[in-house]
Amino acid sequence: MTEIGKRIDKTREGQILFISDFSGINDNEKAVSRALSVEEKRGNIVRLANGMYLRPKKTRFGIVYPSVDEMVKAIALRDKVQVQPCGATALNKLGLSTQVPTKYTYLTSGSGRTITIGNRIIEMKRSVPKNFAFKTVLASLLVQALKATGQDNVGEKELAVIRQLVRNEQRIDLFMQDLVLMPVWIRKMIVVIIKNNGHHDTLDKAYES
């Protein structure tokens, strides 16, 4: 067995792998690519995209593939950048839309790019640091989702979902600190929801901090 084959055998099933993961074995990227092609033919790995592979987890239903979110997070970890779902992707993650996006969109602190994985397109847009400054996932997702919706298109159906999301937020103290980072119209909407949920005292403390 080759050194690359041995390295693959030591990884866990379902792990996403990149050519850069094998740089300690061989610094020649083309040679690594050829070796990975051999391992792919053997069924030891599955190619997800250019330079991106999966150590497959096989079940009686077939191979379990990672979600788009898992793949994007793996890319972000490799590149040492931050990522944030936006647009239809953020709407879908929050349950504000049941429509599955044809293109998955993310903000990134790194370089913008478009990645094709199978029949799925992932667009990563370079963005400003402010979009990655939120302390809670909910606040960052809400801002991106509501920006995509538009102030005039937020109806009672959307508000009902948002009320439940805010009610279920376990770190409500941190969520309230995130209010100052939100656009004014979104902040006002969320403040009303928080007050209706009976968090007046926590809201006052958040604005004092």
Side-chain angles (χ1 to χ4, degrees), residues 76-170:
L77 186 63
R78 178 198 64 181
D79 296 344
K80 297 180 174 60
V81 298
Q82 294 172 291
V83 290
Q84 166 63 49
C86 64
T89 306
L91 286 164
N92 188 263
K93 284 184 73 68
L94 288 177
L96 288 167
S97 172
T98 55
Q99 186 174 352
V100 178
T102 54
K103 179 191 288 185
Y104 295 83
T105 51
Y106 289 78
L107 302 179
T108 177
S109 60
S111 302
R113 72 184 78 174
T114 299
I115 304 166
T116 301
I117 301 178
N119 60 352
R120 293 172 291 190
I121 297 172
I122 301 171
E123 184 178 9
M124 301 175 76
K125 306 175 182 178
R126 181 168 176 79
S127 189
V128 295
K130 182 180 179 181
N131 285 318
F132 306 101
F134 292 95
K135 296 179 179 179
T136 62
V137 173
L138 178 58
S140 57
L141 282 172
L142 274 175
V143 167
Q144 295 307 320
L146 290 171
K147 279 182 178 180
T149 303
Q151 184 173 358
D152 297 332
N153 297 316
V154 181
E156 187 52 43
K157 181 181 176 182
E158 288 77 18
L159 286 171
V161 174
I162 296 168
R163 288 189 197 103
Q164 191 60 48
L165 289 168
V166 173
R167 193 175 295 119
N168 293 341
E169 174 57 52
Q170 294 184 345

